Amino acid sequence: MASTPRFAAPPAGLMAPPAPRFAPSHDTTRRPTGDAVLVAAVYDAADISRVDVKLVDVASGAVVGKLEGQSTGHAIAATGGLICLVPTRGKDKAAPVRVLNPATGAVTDIPVATAADGKTSRSSYVFGQVPVTGEYKVLRIHTSTSRDKPSQSCEILTLGGRGQRWRPAPSPPALVGTEIPRHRAVTPGFAHFFTTSKMADHDGIASFDLAKEQWRPSLLQGPLPSEDLHCCRSSLSLVALNGCLVFVHHDYRSCCIDMWVLAELEKGRWLRVQSLPMGSVLRGWEEETQPAPLIPVQRRREIFAQPLMVLDDGRIAFWVGVPNGVVRVYDPKTRKCKDVVGMGRSCSIVGLCKGSHQLGFA
């Protein structure tokens, strides 16, 4: 895979140090290894309106920082070494966009004009960075909930820019999936989404250019011919690994997890980089010899592993959300894996960052 590109420093307006700040972990038994930091949102089972943002060293499992008691009325995203909380509903919509810098502990609130959001639509957000300028941008996609004629519209916000207002952006060339996090990924300069078409091209990908603030006019096709997918859309996912877009296919009939990296966006050229036996990553598949159904029944075995990043020593970190929510590291040299930290069922993965380098998006 290509090495992770360097990004410009965050805009000066995002570096101010107002409270609150990230609190360091008091866990002295495990120290950070220097690999990426996992950004996780852990929801409070006793108070569903609150969520804690935790920073976890992927290789060691050490919690290296946390920001407790955030409102669940925010969309949380991470990119380029920063974390962004965007108000999404209720009274929180009047709150500013909050930008967190894990490296310095700084938290900056940016007042923005409230964007219109009708009762018949829902909104989703992605947070990305333009490598050339270093600008951070938030893309907001409104999806109409009308069954008769579903539609989508977009707005974009440049953090640290003038005006601090949501600006209109073009609609995607086809309806895109916004509800399932693993059906979208952010790479340097682009946000990618699976389309929601129910036709044969259900692995089509729409890409938004953050610099031009436009959608690419043509869809990017996934690496597998439709007749060879042996799956439904729930078995596919998009991830960003070390700055590259990666297409992941859980092939339950072949009992393997295949991964392709996008080598050329303009030509739509993919390269297969991994094909892992499911039993080497997921529990319950170790002795599996018979093909599984297209959508396997979750009984005594795990059914999905989301790649998070490739560690500096070549190991691959995965997120296995169901049933117990664990970060698992696979070693291709030994073909074995181990759990490095358990986050629980009420956790969702927001992203990964290392310094000012974006390494992945869950």
Side-chain angles (χ1 to χ4, degrees):
M1 294 182 184
S3 60
T4 307
R6 289 188 175 274
F7 292 112
L14 301 185
M15 301 299 289
R21 298 173 65 89
F22 271 101
S25 169
H26 297 293
D27 181 1
T28 59
T29 61
R30 292 183 292 180
R31 296 296 184 184
T33 63
D35 275 304
V37 172
L38 171 70
V39 183
V42 182
Y43 294 87
D44 188 341
D47 184 358
I48 60 174
S49 68
R50 314 304 292 175
V51 60
D52 297 337
V53 179
K54 293 188 177 182
L55 306 181
V56 182
D57 180 74
V58 175
S60 70
V63 177
V64 298
K66 57 185 177 180
L67 187 65
E68 298 179 328
Q70 298 302 298
S71 169
T72 53
H74 288 78
I76 307 174
T79 196
L82 298 181
I83 303 170
C84 184
L85 284 75
V86 184
T88 60
R89 67 173 185 264
K91 63 180 181 180
D92 292 312
K93 281 188 178 181
V97 172
R98 173 164 290 176
V99 181
L100 317 176
N101 189 327
T104 65
V107 181
T108 302
D109 289 341
I110 302 176
V112 297
T114 303
D117 189 7
K119 295 182 179 180
T120 60
S121 68
R122 62 177 183 272
S123 299
S124 64
Y125 302 80
V126 294
F127 182 39
Q129 188 183 36
V130 181
V132 175
T133 64
E135 291 178 307
Y136 290 82
K137 297 184 178 183
V138 182
L139 174 66
R140 172 174 173 153
I141 301 178
H142 301 272
T143 301
S144 168
T145 55
S146 171
R147 294 184 179 181
D148 297 333
K149 191 177 181 181
S151 62
Q152 290 178 323
S153 60
C154 300
E155 293 176 299
I156 195 162
L157 171 70
T158 301
L159 301 182
R162 296 180 179 179
Q164 301 294 345
R165 298 186 64 86
W166 293 98
R167 306 184 306 278
S171 297
L175 293 179
V176 298
T178 59
E179 294 187 77
I180 302 176
R182 68 173 183 267
H183 287 175
R184 61 178 183 264
V186 179
T187 57
F190 287 91
H192 308 274
F193 302 80
F194 275 134
T195 62
T196 59
S197 170
K198 297 182 180 180
M199 307 302 290
D201 62 346
H202 65 275
D203 62 332
I205 300 167
S207 301
F208 184 84
D209 188 322
L210 291 168
K212 297 179 180 179
E213 300 186 357
Q214 294 180 348
W215 294 88
R216 296 185 72 250
S218 59
L219 297 179
L220 172 67
Q221 290 303 127
L224 294 177
S226 295
E227 62 270 17
D228 294 334
L229 282 174
H230 301 310
C231 68
C232 59
R233 187 180 289 109
S234 63
S235 302
L236 306 178
S237 61
L238 296 175
V239 298
L241 294 181
N242 294 55
C244 300
L245 180 65
V246 175
F247 180 103
V248 184
H249 174 208
H250 282 61
D251 190 340
Y252 297 109
R253 290 189 172 181
S254 299
C255 299
C256 63
I257 302 173
D258 294 324
M259 292 187 281
W260 284 261
V261 64
L262 180 63
E264 294 183 74
L265 176 60
E266 295 302 324
K267 295 183 179 180
R269 186 168 68 90
W270 299 86
L271 297 176
R272 190 161 79 166
V273 292
Q274 289 288 349
S275 183
L276 305 177
M278 284 193 174
S280 65
V281 179
L282 295 173
R283 310 300 188 196
W285 294 81
E286 294 84 353
E287 305 298 328
E288 189 65 53
T289 58
Q290 299 296 323
L294 291 181
I295 306 178
V297 178
Q298 181 187 332
R299 292 174 180 169
R300 296 183 178 179
R301 60 187 177 190
E302 299 164 340
I303 61 173
F304 202 88
Q306 182 78 343
L308 294 175
M309 70 163 296
V310 180
L311 300 177
D312 292 343
D313 59 9
R315 293 179 299 158
I316 305 172
F318 290 87
W319 169 248
V320 183
V322 179
N324 299 316
V326 298
V327 176
R328 185 169 295 160
V329 175
Y330 171 79
D331 190 337
K333 297 178 181 178
T334 63
R335 299 183 180 181
K336 295 181 179 180
C337 63
K338 70 174 184 177
D339 296 351
V340 295
V341 61
M343 301 298 294
R345 297 184 180 183
S346 60
C347 176
S348 64
I349 302 302
V350 175
L352 286 160
C353 59
K354 181 178 181 181
S356 61
H357 296 195
Q358 177 184 334
L359 293 181
F361 215 111

